[in-house]
Amino acid sequence: MGNNVSSKIKSIVDKYGGDRGRMLDIIRDVQEELRCVSDESVSEIAGMMNLSRVDVDGVVTFYHFFSKTPVGKYSVYLNNGVTAVMNGRAAVAKAFAEAAGTAFGGTTADGSIGLFDTSCIGMNDQEPAALINGIVFTRLTPDRAKSLVAGMKAGKKVAELVEEFGDGANQSDLIRSMVRNNIRRKGPVLFGDFTSGDSIKKAVAMKPVDVIEQMKISNIRGRGGAGFPTGMKWEFCGKAKAGKRYVVCNADEGEPGTFKDRVILTELPHLLFEGMAVGGYAVGAEEGILYLRAEYLYLREYLQDVLGKLREKNVLGKNAGGKSGFNFDITIKIGAGAYICGEESALIESAEGRRGEPRNRPPFPVEAGYLNQPTTVNNVETYCAAARIIIEGGEWFRKFGTNQSAGTKLLSVSGDCKKPGIYEIEFGTTVQTLLEMVEGRTAKAVQIGGPSGACVGKKDFGHRIGYEDLSTGGSVIVIGPDRDLLQIVKNFMEFFVEESCGWCVPCRAGNVLLLNKLEKVMDGHGTMADIKELESWCLTVKSMSRCGLGQTSPNPIQTTLKNFREIYEAKVRKDVDYATEFDLSRAVKASCEAAGRIPNVHEEH
Amino acid sequence: MSEIKFTIDGKECTARAGQTIVEAASSSGVYIPTLCNYDGLKPAGACRICTVSVAGRNMAACTTPVASGMMVENNTPEINDMRKSIIEMLFVEGNHMCPVCEKSGNCELQALAYRYLMLAPRFPYLWPRRSVDASIPKLYKDGNRCIQCLRCVRGITAADGRKVFGLVDRGGRVRIGHDPELAASLGEEQAKRAMELCPVGSLIRKGVGYAVPIGKRKYDGTPIGGELERA
Ligand SMILES: Cc1cc2nc3c(=O)[nH]c(=O)nc-3n(C[C@H](O)[C@H](O)[C@H](O)COP(=O)(O)O)c2cc1C
Ligand code: SF4
Ligand code: SF4
Ligand code: FES
C-alpha cells in the first residue's frame, strides 16, 4: 500500500484521537475517502490503533455500508423493501443496471458507479428510493434512473442531481433534500403548540423523582415497539448505582415501513432534544447520545445546527434549563447500516464502535449500558411525548388512547393507499378506521408493525391499534387486492436472513431454513407436511433465539399461516405426503443452456 | 455467601448467589446440555442449546443467573425436541464429516447428536461453501466444521490481550477470522489449548494427529453429560 494511503488513514485515525470508541467514524471516513476498506486499510487501522486486525475486520464486515471491495466513486444503494417492489422497483433497477453497464452488487469497469441493494431506507411513502453517496433520491422511475446515471457519467456532484426539494425543513439550507414529510394528520401530543425551553424549565423546577412520577402517571409505554413502561425504565436507570448515567435516543428506525422518526427528526428535532434533556434530568445523566441510522446521515448537519441553537438558548449545555448544576448535552453517533442496531443493546455496542451484536441479558442497559454505565434507551417518539407530558401533565396524556395504551401514536403508512404518509392517531383506532383515513379501503391485508409485526386480513380489520391488541412501532403497510402475499412474506424473510447478526444458531440458521422451505412451497414442491414443518420451525426459531430479531422474524410466515392459510394450501400438493425439493430440470438448466441442449428429463407433475 | 433455593423439573436445588442456572444445575447433579459454554470463559449465549423455561419464558441457562424460588423446566419433551433441532441446524449449516474427522469421539456436537438420538437432521442440508485455512503455523482451521461457538474467540488472546480469533461478517455468512500475525505467534501450549477449546474439529493441531485411537476417546464409552448424571 502506498505511503499516500497510509498517511491518509493516519490523519483520519488522528482526527479521532485513535479512540477505539470512534471506530465506526474512522472506518466511515476511510471508506468515504478510499471508496472501500481493503485488507490493507484494515491492517493499517489496526496497526495504528494497536488492535487485532480481526477486531477491525469484524466491524468493517458487519455493517452494510462498509465494503472491503470498491463501491465506486458514485455508489447507488437502491432500496429493495416491499413498497419499493410494489411501486416498480424492478424496472428502476433494470434501468440503472443497463445505463450504468453493471449488474447490482458490482461496480462499473472504470470503478465509477457501484450498484447495490439495500434494506428499507425509511422512505416507504415515496418509493422506489435510493441513496447515492448518502443523498436520498425518491420516487424513482426508469427514466429518472437513466438521467441520474447520465449525470454521474458526466461527473456531476451528487447534490447537483437533486432537481427539486421536498416540503418543510427538507428545503432548509442544511438539508436541501427532495424527501417529503407527507404529514397527513397532526395530533395533540407531537404536533401540539410547543415553545422551546418550556418543558425543560418545568422539569428542572421539579425533583427528578417527580418528573418520573409524571411519566408513570401518564402510563406511557415505549414507542419503539417493545412497549416497556417509560416511567419504570427511567426509575430503574435513576436508581442504579453509577459513576455516570446516559440517555440514548434510538433513531435507528430500521423496521421496514417505518419512517415516522425521520419526519420527527426533520420537523420536531427541538422537541426531541428537549425530551432527552428531560430524561437526562430525571435519571441523573449529563450526556445524551442520538444514535442516528446511516440512512439519515443527510440530516446530520441540520441536527448539529439545532443542537447548537438549543445550547444558545440554554435548553442544553451548562446549567441546562436554567438549573444550576444540571449540565446536559447531546452528541450524535452514526450507524453504518444494520437493522439489528435498533435493538437497544446492539445499539449500545455499535455506539461504542463495535459490531452491533446484542448483549446477553441480564444485565439490562438500565443497569449496565453504554460504557457499562446505567443507560436509558428510548425511541425518538418517546422522548417527544415525554417533553409534552412534562408540560401538560401525566393525567392529560392518559386521557388519550386506551387503558393499556395511553396517548397517541405516530404511524408511518405506506403501500396500496391513496394517502401514504404519517398520521398521529389515538391508540385504540381500528384498522378499518385507519384504512378509511388513508384511503386504502380495498386492502385485502394490512401489515401492522412491519415484518416483525403481524399480517392481518379483512376479518381482523375491526381490531384496534395498541399494545393490548395490534402492537406496532409505527409501520403500517397496506396490501391491495392484487398483491401476491407470499411474495411479500418472502421479501420479509429475505430481509431477516440478511439482517440477522449471526450470533445465535436458531436465528442464523433457522431463518435461512424457513426461507428455503417457504420457497419450496412457493415453487409448488411442497406438501401439507411442509406447511406443518413451517409452523413448527417458526416456533423453534422464536422460542430459542437470543434477541428480539429472532424472536419475531418468523412472524411473517406465522401470521400469514394463521390468517391466510389458504394461500399456502393452494400451493402445495395434496396427492403425496412427501415431495422432494430437488428439481432436476432446474439443476441441469444452466449446463443445458451452456451446451445448447434440450434436457430430457422425465417430469412427474 | 447466601444460599439460594430453586427447583429444576421439581427437584429442589441450591445455588450460590451469582451462579448461572447451568453452574447451579451442575453442582446439584443435573445435566443441562451446553455447547458454546466453557468453564472459565464468559458465557456467550450463542448456541442456545441450554435453553430452559422459567415461568413460561425461554432463556439461556448459561447466561441467566439463578434467582431464589426459580422453577426451571429443563427436561421436557418440547425443550428437548427444540434442543435436538439446534443440533440438527448445526449439522446442516456446516459440512460435518464425522467418520474422517480427527475430533470424532471427542466432539461435543457429535456426542450431543448421539445423546439426543439424532438419526438424520429434519432440515435439508445447506451445503455452504466454507474455506479451509492452513496458514496458521501450528493450527489447521476448517470452516466446514466450525459452529461459531466463539470459544476460541473468548479463550485465546495474545499476551497483551488482543484477540487472535474473531467473528467476521454477519447473518448466515459469519465465520471465524484471525489476525495472521497474532495467530502465527501462538505457541505449542496455546495451540493445544485452542484445539481443546474447540468443541468440534475446526481447530486441529498441526504436526500431531489421531493420538488417541477411536474407541478410546472421551465420548466413545460415556455419553456426554453422563458423569454428572451418574454422580
Ligand atoms: C431487531 C430490533 C430492532 C429494533 N429497532 C428499533 C428501532 O429502530 N427504533 C427503536 O426505537 N426501537 C427499536 N427496537 C426496540 C429497542 O430494542 C428498544 O426496545 C427501544 O428502543 C426502547 O425504546 P422505547 O422504550 O422508547 O420504545 C428494536 C428491537 C429489535 C429487537
Ligand atoms: S436472534 Fe440471535 S442471531 Fe438473531 S439477531 Fe438476535 S442474537 Fe443475533
Ligand atoms: S473454531 Fe471451534 S472454537 Fe472457534 S468458533 Fe469455530 S467451533 Fe467454536
Ligand atoms: S451453552 Fe448456553 S447458549 Fe450455548
Side-chain angles (χ1 to χ4, degrees):
Chain A
M1 166 162 296
N3 266 340
N4 184 24
V5 167
S6 177
S7 70
K8 271 184 188 162
I9 292 181
K10 175 112 186 30
S11 70
I12 291 170
V13 171
D14 287 347
K15 179 174 156 199
Y16 297 102
D19 182 356
R20 174 71 180 78
R22 305 298 298 273
M23 185 58 85
L24 260 60
D25 298 307
I26 292 170
I27 296 172
R28 178 177 309 101
D29 284 8
V30 170
Q31 161 107 24
E32 208 170 293
E33 182 115 0
L34 305 173
R35 306 314 292 164
C36 72
V37 191
S38 63
D39 277 332
E40 288 82 353
S41 299
V42 167
S43 299
E44 292 274 336
I45 296 171
M48 285 172 202
M49 297 175 71
N50 196 28
L51 291 170
S52 162
R53 238 187 265 183
V54 71
D55 249 341
V56 180
D57 209 22
V59 178
V60 174
T61 53
F62 187 84
Y63 295 94
H64 184 59
F65 292 124
F66 295 155
S67 172
K68 300 206 55 185
T69 50
V71 291
K73 185 169 159 235
Y74 300 94
S75 40
V76 179
Y77 286 88
L78 181 64
N79 178 23
N80 62 9
V82 278
T83 48
V85 174
M86 285 177 175
N87 293 334
R89 179 194 191 271
V92 172
K94 189 161 170 265
F96 266 121
E98 278 173 8
T102 181
F104 268 73
T107 43
T108 51
D110 64 354
S112 65
I113 303 175
L115 300 179
F116 307 94
D117 293 325
T118 201
S119 300
C120 184
I121 60 171
M123 303 290 156
N124 246 34
D125 54 343
Q126 40 213 307
E127 289 292 345
L131 288 165
I132 306 181
N133 291 3
I135 296 182
V136 189
F137 292 85
T138 61
R139 295 172 169 279
L140 293 169
T141 58
D143 282 345
R144 185 73 181 111
K146 278 182 220 152
S147 72
L148 284 171
V149 171
M152 292 185 256
K153 284 194 165 158
K156 286 198 184 154
K157 284 209 182 104
V158 181
E160 289 168 24
L161 301 174
V162 177
E163 285 173 347
E164 46 163 346
F165 298 129
D167 51 348
N170 288 301
Q171 300 183 358
S172 73
D173 283 348
L174 293 171
I175 304 184
R176 298 179 75 76
S177 161
M178 67 182 295
V179 175
R180 300 198 64 86
N181 292 323
N182 290 332
I183 302 170
R184 305 280 186 177
R185 189 170 202 271
K186 295 184 175 183
V189 175
L190 298 162
F191 290 100
D193 284 336
F194 176 69
T195 312
S196 192
D198 281 1
S199 182
I200 188 66
K201 273 184 212 139
K202 198 157 172 209
V204 296
M206 299 190 242
K207 287 208 271 309
V209 284
D210 295 331
V211 173
I212 292 177
E213 189 55 28
Q214 284 305 313
M215 296 298 289
K216 284 176 150 181
I217 290 170
S218 76
N219 241 344
I220 184 174
R221 294 170 65 171
R223 268 40 183 163
F228 192 82
T230 308
M232 245 159 89
K233 196 185 269 188
W234 288 11
E235 182 168 50
F236 289 149
C237 184
K239 282 191 175 158
K241 288 202 181 60
K244 269 187 158 189
R245 296 190 182 81
Y246 293 92
V247 165
V248 172
C249 174
N250 189 341
D252 198 57
E253 189 155 69
E255 188 76 31
T258 149
F259 47 86
K260 51 131 189 142
D261 292 344
R262 179 199 85 216
V263 178
I264 293 178
L265 290 161
T266 310
E267 297 303 325
L268 305 167
H270 49 298
L271 181 66
L272 160 66
F273 291 140
E274 196 160 330
M276 288 175 71
V278 168
Y281 178 71
V283 306
E286 297 202 328
E287 280 182 54
I289 296 168
L290 174 73
Y291 184 91
L292 186 68
R293 68 190 309 223
E295 289 82 348
Y296 297 167
L297 195 64
Y298 73 99
L299 295 171
R300 175 166 60 177
E301 267 185 77
Y302 167 74
L303 293 171
Q304 294 285 17
D305 184 64
V306 174
L307 284 174
K309 288 186 177 136
L310 291 176
R311 281 179 203 121
E312 276 166 28
K313 278 197 190 157
N314 198 219
V315 168
L316 299 175
K318 212 167 156 26
N319 303 330
K323 174 86 171 179
S324 80
F326 175 54
N327 308 320
F328 183 85
D329 211 334
I330 297 171
T331 49
I332 301 178
K333 291 237 176 200
I334 293 161
Y339 166 64
I340 189 62
C341 289
E343 196 282 337
E344 56 182 2
S345 64
L347 180 147
I348 289 168
E349 286 285 309
S350 180
E352 291 178 2
R354 278 188 259 276
R355 292 166 62 80
E357 286 154 345
R359 293 177 177 174
N360 287 308
R361 274 155 294 193
F364 288 89
V366 286
E367 303 158 45
Y370 185 64
L371 304 178
N372 280 325
Q373 302 298 311
T375 304
T376 178
V377 180
N378 290 104
N379 177 251
V380 171
E381 188 184 344
T382 311
Y383 285 116
C384 292
R388 177 76 60 194
I389 287 166
I390 293 311
I391 292 177
E392 310 281 355
E395 289 293 349
W396 171 82
F397 185 83
R398 74 190 294 169
K399 277 192 276 198
F400 304 101
T402 69
N403 248 347
Q404 287 180 55
S405 311
T408 63
K409 181 78 191 88
L410 199 56
L411 299 179
S412 320
V413 182
S414 63
D416 296 315
C417 60
K418 289 214 183 76
K419 293 180 171 167
I422 68 162
Y423 293 77
E424 184 179 348
I425 56 133
E426 257 190 80
F427 268 126
T429 304
T430 63
V431 176
Q432 187 58 47
T433 308
L434 183 69
L435 286 174
E436 308 279 329
M437 252 182 245
V438 308
E439 294 185 20
R441 293 179 197 87
T442 58
K444 73 170 172 189
V446 181
Q447 185 76 27
I448 305 272
S452 72
C455 186
V456 297
K458 281 209 168 85
K459 70 172 174 27
D460 289 321
F461 286 177
H463 281 260
R464 295 174 186 280
I465 292 168
Y467 301 101
E468 64 272 49
D469 194 349
L470 290 172
S471 190
T472 173
S475 167
V476 175
I477 301 171
V478 183
I479 300 165
D482 304 329
R483 303 292 178 186
D484 180 350
L485 261 187
L486 288 176
Q487 285 294 346
I488 292 172
V489 173
K490 184 175 160 205
N491 179 295
F492 289 163
M493 292 312 293
E494 285 167 344
F495 168 78
F496 287 124
V497 164
E498 178 58 34
E499 298 295 335
S500 163
C501 81
W503 181 282
C504 76
V505 180
C507 172
R508 179 180 73 227
N511 282 313
V512 175
L513 295 165
L514 281 173
L515 173 62
N516 289 357
K517 181 71 103 181
L518 176 71
E519 284 178 340
K520 178 183 179 188
V521 170
M522 289 173 74
D523 288 350
H525 294 293
T527 65
M528 294 302 274
D530 287 299
I531 296 183
K532 279 231 160 61
E533 284 189 327
L534 265 180
E535 240 163 3
S536 108
W537 299 0
C538 283
L539 273 182
T540 304
V541 173
K542 291 183 86 160
S543 52
M544 301 293 267
S545 287
R546 188 166 81 115
C547 82
L549 191 148
Q551 287 159 9
T552 55
S553 57
N555 280 354
I557 295 180
Q558 211 184 27
T559 64
T560 46
L561 270 174
K562 178 166 169 260
N563 297 329
F564 301 91
R565 201 178 182 85
E566 63 286 355
I567 61 173
Y568 288 84
E569 292 189 350
K571 287 273 182 187
V572 299
R573 296 177 59 189
K574 301 190 185 60
D575 54 329
V576 289
D577 290 334
Y578 174 80
T580 172
E581 63 209 271
F582 181 74
D583 182 336
L584 190 53
S585 328
R586 199 186 332 165
V588 298
K589 189 167 171 239
S591 68
C592 286
E593 269 169 18
R597 275 184 21 195
I598 296 166
N600 179 18
V601 177
H602 172 66
E603 299 268 344
E604 275 181 41
H605 55 272
Chain B
M1 267 291 181
S2 57
E3 261 207 354
I4 289 173
K5 285 197 185 343
F6 73 107
T7 64
I8 302 181
D9 296 327
K11 180 185 165 178
E12 303 237 348
C13 300
T14 53
R16 279 178 288 111
Q19 272 190 316
T20 64
I21 298 176
V22 161
E23 288 164 344
S26 162
S27 43
S28 302
V30 176
Y31 177 68
I32 297 176
T34 58
L35 195 46
C36 65
N37 205 39
Y38 194 86
D39 236 8
L41 301 185
K42 188 181 176 212
C47 73
R48 315 308 289 180
I49 196 168
C50 68
T51 302
V52 292
S53 171
V54 179
R57 287 195 55 178
N58 287 347
M59 46 191 69
C62 68
T63 58
T64 311
V66 265
S68 180
M70 222 179 212
M71 292 196 279
V72 179
E73 282 181 61
N74 168 48
N75 200 6
T76 71
E78 300 80 48
I79 291 175
N80 283 334
D81 185 57
M82 291 205 196
R83 286 174 179 164
K84 188 176 177 184
S85 71
I86 294 284
I87 301 162
E88 294 172 11
M89 280 183 194
L90 286 169
F91 271 99
V92 305
E93 184 200 38
N95 301 303
H96 292 272
M97 55 293 256
C98 297
V100 294
C101 177
E102 175 169 351
K103 196 84 174 194
S104 195
N106 286 330
C107 171
E108 292 176 38
L109 180 66
Q110 183 191 49
L112 283 162
Y114 281 131
R115 184 178 170 109
Y116 284 90
L117 306 177
M118 182 186 106
L119 295 174
R122 75 195 71 179
F123 309 108
Y125 280 91
L126 295 172
W127 305 122
R129 253 181 235 194
R130 303 259 187 99
S131 65
V132 171
D133 191 329
S135 66
I136 307 174
K138 293 202 159 53
L139 281 173
Y140 172 84
K141 190 174 130 216
D142 185 351
N144 290 295
R145 291 177 264 183
C146 175
I147 58 170
Q148 277 81 232
C149 67
L150 311 174
R151 276 160 51 160
C152 57
V153 177
R154 288 172 287 155
I156 308 285
T157 47
D160 60 0
R162 278 186 291 166
K163 271 192 201 159
V164 177
F165 299 100
L167 210 52
V168 291
D169 223 319
R170 73 179 191 201
R173 300 183 302 269
V174 296
R175 60 190 189 282
I176 299 296
H178 63 270
D179 181 299
E181 277 164 38
L182 297 179
S185 68
L186 288 179
E188 197 53 52
E189 276 309 304
Q190 273 180 306
K192 199 170 152 221
R193 164 129 171 111
M195 178 159 171
E196 276 165 17
L197 274 176
C198 185
V200 291
S202 183
L203 294 177
I204 298 282
R205 251 190 327 156
K206 284 186 186 168
V208 276
Y210 297 91
V212 181
I214 288 174
K216 297 221 161 114
R217 294 178 176 186
K218 197 167 172 195
Y219 305 114
D220 283 343
T222 330
I224 193 166
E227 321 87 29
L228 207 61
E229 285 163 333
R230 257 201 317 273

